[in-house]
Amino acid sequence: MVRLYSTHRQYHDAAISLARPIEITLGTRLESILETKIDSFMFHKRSGGRLDRKRIAGISFGRRDVFFCIEEGQGLDTAVSVLVDSSSSMFSDFYGKTRGVDFDKAKISSAVAVSCAAAQVLNRHCVPFEIACYGSYYMPIKRFDSRWSAARRLGMTKPLDGTATDCAIMKVAESLAVCDEARKLVVVITDGESDSNSRTLTVMNEVRKLGIEFSLLFIGNDGHLFERLLHDDGYTVSRALTKESLASSFFDAVQKAF
């Protein structure tokens, strides 16, 4: 058990290390989209709003501005749900090698890295988002009403066996359906084939009727059959074939939705 936990931690640490340069590259590109649509600022006041815990200690010195509020002008009226494939195949490298793979070369490390980098940018611009991992079951990491600062410390690199993409999409559709934002976007980060491509497509097509859009990022060189089926139904797929292309590929996937 100790060795297994240590392995998960090493994947997690590798992902966080990979995320830092991705955030810098991705941030400048995503912000070029977001900054043209968001005009927000934060201020502190005596009552109302959300409590800023960092300011509580200041009460003893006579400071009463312990609440903060975010004022927005024209905003990006979009809620984003990020789904990270954590199936067993994601623990191979970009070429499908499964044995002796360095932690920072595994597809799961890249998937978690790019999702964390994107979360940092979305959080910075106050765009509502959630993140979940999925395999044979669905594992929420950050919900819309929870804080990213706490969620980012959770492990996202546990193997979840199968690839029940259809079930994961149904779960996020439930949470997106109750969001007030005018636009709703699901970003799926995967290495390709699901347990049932036909069932996944059926679910995606039904969810799309609810006004929910999809961006898909494939990591590695697998899943071409599923990619063709997606294209036939009008979906676009971006693909990252190297670690170095993660930021540009993710941006390409999301840009099509914006």
Side-chain angles (χ1 to χ4, degrees), residues 2 30 32 58 67 79 108 132 143 173-174 194 230 233 252 254:
V2 174
L30 280 182
S32 67
F67 293 88
I108 186 63
R143 301 184 187 276
E174 292 175 5
S194 65
L230 287 164
D233 275 20
D252 180 61
V254 175

Side-chain angles (χ1 to χ4, degrees), residues 37-43 69-77 125-128:
K37 301 183 179 181
I38 289 184
D39 181 18
S40 62
F41 63 92
M42 182 176 70
F43 67 94
C69 285
I70 297 176
E71 291 281 333
E72 291 191 4
Q74 183 181 7
L76 181 65
D77 198 16
H125 285 274
C126 302
V127 177

